[in-house]
Amino acid sequence: MGRSGGRHTTTRRLHLLASGGVLLDIPGIRSLEVAAGPEAVDDVFTDIAALAAHCRYGDCGHDSDGGCTVTEAVGIGALSPDRLATWRKLQGEIAFRRPEDPAEMADMRRQWKAVSKQARRNGRR
């Protein structure tokens, strides 16, 4: 794989990382969607899930809510702020999933076109 006769051919490589993870190198792919739900994230971030179980409010956002054991753990150094930031990022990506229903996707596209059109109009004034 690689270049052949001046033409680009697709290459795929797996790189094993010292941390035990795997890096997938696929040229042409700019991003991947998270294909998991919040429960899967909790399975990976068991420390945050365990702390969250003791928050004062069941719908705690773990950012500025009073009685949040997760942010308290960050405050006392028991939880890395970077780890919490990664957890938040994954939760945000899960919440922003594209709809699988074609009708819902078409509706979303119409909404974005209307917003984009309005933004262009406002920018010209």
Side-chain angles (χ1 to χ4, degrees):
M1 294 187 173
R3 292 196 176 265
S4 174
R7 299 185 71 192
H8 179 74
T9 57
T10 303
T11 60
R12 291 174 280 247
R13 294 196 176 116
L14 285 176
H15 302 278
L16 299 176
L17 304 175
S19 65
V22 177
L23 175 68
L24 178 61
D25 180 11
I26 305 175
I29 302 294
R30 294 178 189 232
S31 67
L32 296 173
E33 289 185 25
V34 176
E39 300 81 22
V41 175
D42 286 345
D43 288 345
V44 173
F45 291 85
T46 55
D47 51 347
I48 295 176
L51 289 165
H54 300 288
C55 287
R56 180 180 299 161
Y57 305 105
D59 63 347
C60 184
H62 314 305
D63 48 20
S64 61
D65 299 330
C68 176
T69 55
V70 175
T71 55
E72 288 172 9
V74 170
I76 64 170
L79 178 66
S80 163
D82 291 340
R83 184 154 173 82
L84 180 57
T86 301
W87 177 88
R88 284 181 179 141
K89 182 177 180 186
L90 287 171
Q91 292 292 356
E93 289 177 11
I94 289 169
F96 184 73
R97 278 213 184 130
R98 292 181 185 172
E100 293 181 16
D101 177 32
E104 191 177 348
M105 183 61 119
D107 185 48
M108 182 181 277
R109 284 189 181 128
R110 280 191 294 277
Q111 290 174 6
W112 276 109
K113 283 183 181 181
V115 167
S116 177
K117 188 175 182 179
Q118 185 64 41
R120 284 193 305 271
R121 281 188 199 148
N122 290 340
R124 291 182 187 158
R125 293 180 185 179

